[in-house]
Structures are given as C-alpha cells and as structure tokens.
Amino acid sequence: MKALKRAESAGAARSVRAVRTGGGLSFRVDVRASVVLVVLAAVAAGAGIVLIGSGDYTMTPGEVVSTLFGHGTFQQEFIVTDLRLPRVLVGLLVGASLGIGGAVFQAISRNPLGSPDVLGFGQGATVGALTVIVLFQGGAAAVAGGAVAGGLVTGIAVYLLAWKRGVHGYQLVLVGIGAAAMLTAAAQYLITKANLVDATRAVVWMTGSLDGRDWAQVWPLLAVCGLLVPLVLGHGRALRMMEMGDDAAYALGVRVERTRFVLMVCSVFLVAVATAAAGPITFVSLSAPQLARRLTRSPGPNLLAAAFMGAALLLVADWIALDAFGDRQLPVGIVTGVLGGCYLLWLLVTERKAGRI
C-alpha cells in the first residue's frame, strides 16, 4: 500500500502545474486529473445522447442534439423531453451519487472493498423498499421513502455497532459485511412471505433498472445531489488527510469524528436516494472510485472524478443493456452486476498479489 501511495504521489507531482493570474495569485492544477474529468464528462454526455436516440423510434445524435436545443419536430420533442431525457438524467445522477458515496466510504475505511455494496447500505435500502411493497402494498412514492429510510437506519446501525472510541476502517468493513449478510437474508424472507403479485414486483425492483423513469424521479435526485454533493466536496481536503490516519489528521487540525460522521450521513443519504430512484444497482459504487483513482493517478479520494466515472459507467451499462442483446432489453442492474463482479475478482487477485489482503 505504501508503494502504491508513493507511486500515486510521484505521478501526481509530475502532472501538477502552477498557474499564475494577472493579479499575482497562483493556484495548482492537476493536468492529468483535469483531462480525465473532461474525458469522463464527454463519455457520459456521448452515452446519454446515444441512449436518447435509441429505442423503437431511433434518432441520430445530430437529431438528438438539435431537439435538445429546441429545433426538433413535435414528435421528436415529445420522445426526447418527456420519455427519454428523464431516464438519462436519472442515470447520470444515480451514477454520480453511487460513485461519490463509494469514494467516501473507501477513503473512510482505507480499504478498496469498503463500498456501500459491501457495507450493507444498499441492502438496507432494499429491505426498506421490500417492507413497503410486501407488508403495506405501497405505491412508488412509498417504496422510494421506504428505501431511503432503510438505507439511513442501516447506516446509523452500522456506525453505532462499529464505534469503539471512534470508527476505524476494519471495524466498519467487518460490521458492514455482517449487516449486509443479515439484510440479504431479511430481503429473501420478505419475498417468501409475499403473494405472487407483490413478489414479482419486488423482484423487478430488486433488479435495478432505469426503465420508465420520469421527471418525478429527476427533481428529488437533483435536489439531494445539489445539496449534499457540494457539502461532501467541501470536506474533500479533510477526507484526504484522514486517509493518512486519524492521528495525522488530528495533528493537522481535522475534527476527525465530526468529519467522518458528516461524510457518512451524506454518503448514506446519497446512496439511499439513488437506490430509491433506480433500485439496487450493484458494483458502481465499488468500481467507479477505483477506476477514477487509477486513471487520475492522484492520491486522495478523487471525489469529483469518482462521481463522473460513476455517471459514465452507469450510462454506458444502460446503453449495453438496451442495445447489445437485440430485442431483449435487460435491466441495467444485471449488466453492472456482471461487469462489477468481474472487476471485483480482478481487484481481489491484484490486491492479493500485491500482498495487501
């Protein structure tokens, strides 16, 4: 791990440039990280345009862009604005939320496996949603509320159970793995108690999908991301110091427990709201921060790069699910599960060879 951090620091030092303004001010710019952000934003935008043009009524990228700027026909504007654009926006926001949530938890636990998928927060949101579906036959809004409540309750429980004169990385991961196992069993139990209609509805929701998403899912996601993402980014410097260890962060003036608690609450809420909007989409929060860090070669949590990577990954996976299997459209959760599972196996083998696990 120390060798990896030294290599990242050396790479970051080579790519950092000092920029001076006319007023005598200067600031540092990480050229490689900036280029990666631009590329990821372009990939996400390109995948979104392709997705909007895909379906029974196909449109070229040029027609999609022209319609987005208000120059399409009435039929094109209806298809783009009312039917397909909300799906893409939900995908962007869900992917960014999962990516930044995963980056925070991996930085807090100082463990590449410390993502919401492993720590049980996604499973908690699933149990909350299934409780509403199976026991109360609630509608879409009630299911979303149940998912958010389940994720938040799981986050609080894991935090309290992992507390021992503070929350430490391995304690958090171990408690989270145990919570995930119990919550998975609880979700399966709820399905066995449901009638056929509710069980079918529950299984469809658990798959994770962007199908049928409309503006009713976009606005709550946008509000939550607009409030919490800047708050998380504002704690990015403190989070980077915490990766060096609690003692070093304390010495540098960071209020470690307060910062950790705020970041965990924000990240759990982001993951829970993303799960409420699209169902439990697996492995994005695990793989996006790691891929972003490998591309930027910068030390620290790389929060913004992880958010961009999560958005790009989810839209590309949704495009694969929509077009790669002919007439049979798959839920995006299946594609992210397959790709993420392969990435997890590769990560485990790599970490084992490096002697870090």
Side-chain angles (χ1 to χ4, degrees):
M1 182 64 76
K2 291 181 179 179
L4 177 62
K5 289 185 177 180
R6 284 197 298 269
E8 288 178 341
S9 299
R14 288 193 297 268
S15 66
V16 171
R17 298 290 184 271
V19 178
R20 295 186 179 275
T21 63
L25 299 176
S26 64
F27 56 93
R28 296 186 303 168
V29 175
D30 190 329
V31 177
R32 183 184 179 91
S34 300
V35 171
V36 169
L37 288 176
V38 172
V39 171
L40 290 176
V43 170
I49 290 173
V50 171
L51 266 175
I52 292 175
S54 302
D56 294 333
Y57 183 89
T58 59
M59 299 173 62
T60 66
E63 290 174 334
V64 172
V65 173
S66 178
T67 304
L68 289 173
F69 282 97
H71 302 298
T73 65
F74 176 79
Q75 185 180 22
Q76 290 174 336
E77 289 182 357
F78 172 76
I79 291 173
V80 170
T81 305
D82 293 341
L83 300 182
R84 297 179 181 173
L85 181 59
R87 173 186 180 135
V88 170
L89 292 178
V90 169
L92 286 171
L93 294 171
V94 168
S97 298
L98 294 176
I100 203 168
V104 167
F105 279 106
Q106 289 176 15
I108 287 175
S109 63
R110 297 194 291 276
N111 190 321
L113 299 179
S115 77
D117 295 319
V118 178
L119 300 180
F121 305 126
Q123 290 87 340
T126 300
V127 170
L130 293 186
T131 300
V132 174
I133 293 174
V134 174
L135 301 183
F136 303 102
Q137 291 76 45
V143 171
V148 173
L152 291 176
V153 170
T154 302
I156 294 172
V158 169
Y159 183 87
L160 293 177
L161 290 171
W163 176 274
K164 185 179 181 181
R165 293 193 297 272
V167 175
H168 304 285
Y170 283 105
Q171 290 175 330
L172 184 66
V173 172
L174 290 174
V175 172
I177 290 173
M182 291 188 293
L183 290 167
T184 299
Q188 293 171 347
Y189 171 77
L190 286 170
I191 292 178
T192 62
K193 300 297 290 183
N195 59 45
L196 181 60
V197 174
D198 290 337
T200 303
R201 183 183 172 199
V203 170
V204 170
W205 187 89
M206 288 176 61
T207 306
S209 175
L210 297 177
D211 289 340
R213 299 306 182 261
D214 56 25
W215 292 102
Q217 283 85 34
V218 173
W219 298 121
L221 264 174
L222 188 61
V224 171
C225 290
L227 178 65
L228 297 184
V229 170
L231 182 59
V232 173
L233 294 178
H235 286 79
R237 183 172 179 271
L239 184 60
R240 181 172 178 174
M241 293 178 183
M242 288 167 58
E243 283 192 317
M244 299 185 294
D246 290 358
D247 293 338
Y250 274 122
L252 293 170
V254 177
R255 296 181 178 180
V256 174
E257 287 304 326
R258 176 182 176 276
T259 302
R260 183 182 287 123
F261 179 77
V262 170
L263 287 172
M264 285 185 66
V265 169
C266 292
S267 299
V268 168
F269 202 81
L270 283 171
V271 172
V273 171
T275 305
I281 297 176
T282 56
F283 287 114
V284 173
S285 58
L286 173 68
S287 57
Q290 291 296 311
L291 292 173
R293 189 165 184 163
R294 292 175 186 275
L295 288 176
T296 61
R297 296 182 185 174
S298 297
N302 289 275
L303 296 175
L304 195 58
F308 278 45
M309 177 62 76
L313 278 178
L314 189 54
L315 287 190
V316 171
D318 194 36
W319 172 69
I320 294 173
L322 189 65
D323 282 348
F325 300 95
D327 295 335
R328 301 188 64 180
Q329 299 179 8
L330 296 179
V332 67
I334 294 178
V335 177
T336 60
V338 172
L339 297 178
C342 294
Y343 175 79
L344 177 59
L345 291 174
W346 176 82
L347 179 63
L348 289 172
V349 171
T350 303
E351 294 290 304
R352 183 176 178 84
K353 287 183 178 179
R356 291 190 284 267
I357 59 174

